[in-house]
Each structure stands twice: as structure tokens, then as C-alpha cells.
Amino acid sequence: MADIPEEIINEYRLRKIVNAKGFVFVEVTKGMYGLPQAGLLANELLEKRLNKNGYFQSKIVAGLWSHKTRPIQFTL
């Protein structure tokens, strides 16, 4: 916790959850803006949700989505 500012330690009550070695572990459940991986994570989530509803992404044209049974296409 030596690298964490005191105001963050106090605001999130980190002293209650710090382990014996001085580490605090967190689980990230949503994307964090500013991370280099944010775009990839958002695209994977979008693809998962669209695939579930019958859409698939073109293998030739990035960002082009089509529906399996309906005559629908769109780009993002």
C-alpha cells in the first residue's frame, strides 16, 4: 500500500482489506477507460452480445455486421 495515496486508502478503507504483505487485491468487473486493452475488451463484449442475437462480423470488412437470417447489415 506504500504506493497508494493516503486519501485513497481512507476513502476506500483499504486498511481493512490489506493482506499481511501489504497488498490489496481488487476484481475489475467493468472496463476501465484509459487502459490500452479497453478497446479490445469492449469489442469482445460487443461481439459476444451480437453473436448471441444472430449477428456476425465480416471476416473481410472490419466493423461490418450482418444478421444470419435477416437482411440486416450495419457498421460500427
Side-chain angles (χ1 to χ4, degrees):
M1 281 201 341
D3 296 330
I4 302 173
E6 191 65 32
E7 61 267 15
I8 300 298
I9 292 171
N10 293 335
E11 183 175 345
Y12 294 100
R13 301 178 183 134
L14 298 181
R15 286 187 180 86
K16 291 182 178 181
I17 59 172
V18 65
N19 72 6
K21 293 184 179 182
F23 292 99
V24 174
F25 294 93
V26 297
E27 179 182 353
V28 178
T29 57
K30 301 214 181 217
M32 297 175 66
Y33 298 103
L35 286 179
Q37 305 91 336
L40 176 63
L41 295 172
N43 191 57
E44 287 174 352
L45 179 59
L46 176 67
E47 185 171 15
K48 178 181 172 185
R49 289 180 177 172
L50 288 175
N51 287 344
K52 184 175 165 183
N53 289 291
Y55 293 91
F56 62 95
Q57 190 167 190
S58 170
K59 293 183 190 284
I60 299 170
V61 181
L64 176 63
W65 294 86
S66 302
H67 195 271
K68 290 178 184 176
T69 59
R70 298 179 186 152
I72 299 172
Q73 288 186 326
F74 62 91
T75 60
L76 295 175

